[in-house]
């Protein structure tokens, strides 16, 4: 039997190949499914059990997590989520915005190639990252572009997304090819979108800020000492934003928020800076959060509520948290730009 005949004789028993489609998956940090303590506890357990987030997962940490944090913190954080919860959809704003970002990206991508599938996932909580990768693969995607929605790289954000993506691929016999969008902290399109969004936000204010804080999520100082490039990326973003907006350190300052535990984190701390500025006589303050692609608990509650209260309690008067890029025209220009750039060679 010659070779073509042999192949032909085998074909009835050979499963059809995958459809050869491309999938694009945008990923954000995550959210609890509800504001009640059990829902928040499940979310915190998944989040704080990640060795990328808390690197020392030894016995001391496990005791602290299970004996102190999980019995107490879910009720407190649940009340914080209640302040910002999207009651119409019964979900957190982060989930609402990420879904909208995916829908708008899908509309843009369809004009390029209508066969490309666009989906969204959360690293912690639902929809889970592994479930969406598996769904794209089952839908015929033999190539997947993964976009962690973090402009600045950190092991506790971008790397943990990659960890789960690759662990998911381990379970698949017929693995899709995977590309990951690199950090875009210094991309001109991103910097321009930030500047346009911030300038528009400032024009809407009924007061003129004396200075602006650019607040980024913090990480422990020890992570940086071990090689994490995150603060370098944050500083580069702020420097480029200063250049674009013709500002300097005296009127656009870099700070870090959301520290946790007793270890030293990246400085200067946002809350301490807000307090100090108010005590020094600053009456009008605006805060922007360039490291967050979508408004969430850390921007809508920690900045817009907690830090506003700190500012006014120490003598400040007017405080505003400028919205994130979200699914705005400027924000979607960034997401579409990096996705279409990284799809080159596939489309």
């Amino acid at each position: 039997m010659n070779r073509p005949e042999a192949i032909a004789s085998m074909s009835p028993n050979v499963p059809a190949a995958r459809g050869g489609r491309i999938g694009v998956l945008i990923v954000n940090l995550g959210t609890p499914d509800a504001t009640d303590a059990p829902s928040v506890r499940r979310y915190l357990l998944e989040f704080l059990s990640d060795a990328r987030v808390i690197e020392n997962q030894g016995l001391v940490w496990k005791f602290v997590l299970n004996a102190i944090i999980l019995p107490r913190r879910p009720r407190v954080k649940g009340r914080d989520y209640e302040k910002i919860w999207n009651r119409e959809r019964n979900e957190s704003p982060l989930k609402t915005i990420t879904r909208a970002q995916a829908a708008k990206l899908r509309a843009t991508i369809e004009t390029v190639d209508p066969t490309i599938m666009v989906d969204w996932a959360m690293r912690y909580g639902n929809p889970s990252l592994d479930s969406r990768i598996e769904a794209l693969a089952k839908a015929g995607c033999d190539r997947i572009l993964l976009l962690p929605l973090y402009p600045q790289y950190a092991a506790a954000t971008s790397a943990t997304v990659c960890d789960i993506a690759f662990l998911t691929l381990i379970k698949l016999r017929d693995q899709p090819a995977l590309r990951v969008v690199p950090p875009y902290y210094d991309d001109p399109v991103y910097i321009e979108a930030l500047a346009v969004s911030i300038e528009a936000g400032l024009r809407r204010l009924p007061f003129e800020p004396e200075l602006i804080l650019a607040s980024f999520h913090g990480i422990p100082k020890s992570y940086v000492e071990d090689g994490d490039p995150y603060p370098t990326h944050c500083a580069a973003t702020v420097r480029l934003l200063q250049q674009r907006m013709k500002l300097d350190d005296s009127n656009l300052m870099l700070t870090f928020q959301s520290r946790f535990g007793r270890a030293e984190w990246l400085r200067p701390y946002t809350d301490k800076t807000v307090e100090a500025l108010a005590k020094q006589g600053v009456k009008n303050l605006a805060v922007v959060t360039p490291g967050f692609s979508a408004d969430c608990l850390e921007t809508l509650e920690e900045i817009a509520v907690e830090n506003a209260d700190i500012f006014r309690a120490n003598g400040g008067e007017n405080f505003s948290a400028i919205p994130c890029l979200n699914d705005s025209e400027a924000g979607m220009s960034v997401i579409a730009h990096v996705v279409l750039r990284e799809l080159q060679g596939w489309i």
Side-chain angles (χ1 to χ4, degrees), residues 279-291:
K279 289 180 176 178
Q280 291 165 14
V282 172
K283 299 299 182 183
N284 305 295
L285 182 65
V287 181
V288 299
T289 48

Side-chain angles (χ1 to χ4, degrees), residues 41 45 48-49 57-72:
R41 185 177 295 109
L45 176 61
L48 296 175
S49 297
Q57 292 278 327
L59 292 177
V60 173
W61 170 247
K62 291 184 185 302
F63 172 79
V64 171
L65 176 63
N66 291 285
I68 300 175
I69 295 175
L70 293 179
R72 303 175 185 177

Side-chain angles (χ1 to χ4, degrees), residues 38-329:
S39 297
V40 178
R41 185 177 295 109
R42 284 194 299 272
Y43 171 73
L44 289 177
L45 176 61
E46 183 181 11
F47 178 56
L48 296 175
S49 297
D50 185 350
R52 291 286 195 181
V53 175
I54 304 296
E55 293 188 355
N56 185 352
Q57 292 278 327
L59 292 177
V60 173
W61 170 247
K62 291 184 185 302
F63 172 79
V64 171
L65 176 63
N66 291 285
I68 300 175
I69 295 175
L70 293 179
R72 303 175 185 177
R73 194 169 179 83
R75 288 189 295 274
V76 175
K77 301 310 291 184
R79 289 193 291 269
D80 289 341
Y81 274 106
E82 277 285 339
K83 299 175 188 175
I84 66 165
W85 203 249
N86 181 343
R87 302 193 184 283
E88 182 179 351
R89 285 185 172 270
N90 191 28
E91 63 187 21
S92 74
L94 181 66
K95 183 174 286 189
T96 303
I97 295 167
T98 307
R99 181 191 295 107
Q101 289 170 325
K104 291 184 177 181
L105 177 63
R106 186 178 301 115
T108 298
I109 295 298
E110 283 177 350
T111 65
V112 178
D113 185 341
T115 69
I116 294 177
M117 300 183 66
V118 177
D119 204 349
W120 60 284
M122 296 292 174
R123 169 58 186 88
Y124 312 102
N126 296 301
S128 67
L129 176 55
D130 56 350
S131 71
R132 302 326 301 156
I133 291 177
E134 291 175 359
L136 287 172
K138 289 179 181 178
C141 294
D142 62 6
R143 288 158 291 174
I144 296 176
L145 177 66
L146 192 66
L147 170 55
L149 287 170
Y150 311 113
Q152 298 78 24
Y153 172 94
T157 53
S158 303
T160 190
V161 168
C162 294
D163 290 346
I164 294 301
F166 291 125
L167 285 173
T168 303
L169 294 186
I170 287 175
K171 298 184 291 183
L172 303 179
R173 178 173 293 278
D174 187 6
Q175 292 183 343
L178 185 67
R179 281 185 183 175
V180 181
V181 175
Y184 49 95
Y185 61 95
D186 59 352
D187 190 291
V189 174
Y190 165 64
I191 299 300
E192 180 64 19
L194 286 176
V196 168
S197 178
I198 293 168
E199 288 168 348
L202 293 174
R203 285 194 297 269
R204 290 191 292 266
L205 296 181
F207 64 93
E208 183 176 350
E210 294 162 60
L211 76 161
I212 304 167
L213 297 186
S215 180
F216 293 79
H217 200 293
I219 61 173
K221 184 180 177 182
S222 61
Y223 293 9
V224 180
E225 293 170 344
D226 288 339
D228 203 301
Y230 178 69
T232 303
H233 289 189
C234 296
T237 296
V238 172
R239 184 180 67 254
L240 291 168
L241 192 56
Q242 288 172 336
Q243 293 172 1
R244 163 59 178 79
M245 298 180 68
K246 296 181 172 55
L247 301 172
D248 57 31
D249 289 340
S250 67
N251 42 35
L252 179 59
M253 299 172 55
L254 168 64
T255 61
F256 295 95
Q257 65 182 84
S258 309
R259 66 188 183 278
F260 177 79
R262 298 180 179 180
E264 183 176 358
W265 283 44
L266 293 176
R267 294 176 180 267
Y269 299 145
T270 298
D271 56 353
K272 297 299 183 183
T273 302
V274 166
E275 179 181 349
L277 289 172
K279 289 180 176 178
Q280 291 165 14
V282 172
K283 299 299 182 183
N284 305 295
L285 182 65
V287 181
V288 299
T289 48
F292 296 87
S293 64
D295 277 305
C296 55
L297 187 70
E298 287 78 8
T299 65
L300 297 173
E301 200 285 325
E302 183 182 352
I303 295 297
V305 178
E306 290 182 23
N307 276 271
D309 289 345
I310 292 171
F311 185 63
R312 296 188 181 105
N314 288 279
E317 296 177 1
N318 297 304
F319 182 101
S320 180
I322 304 296
C324 296
L325 290 174
N326 296 323
D327 63 332
S328 66
E329 182 178 351

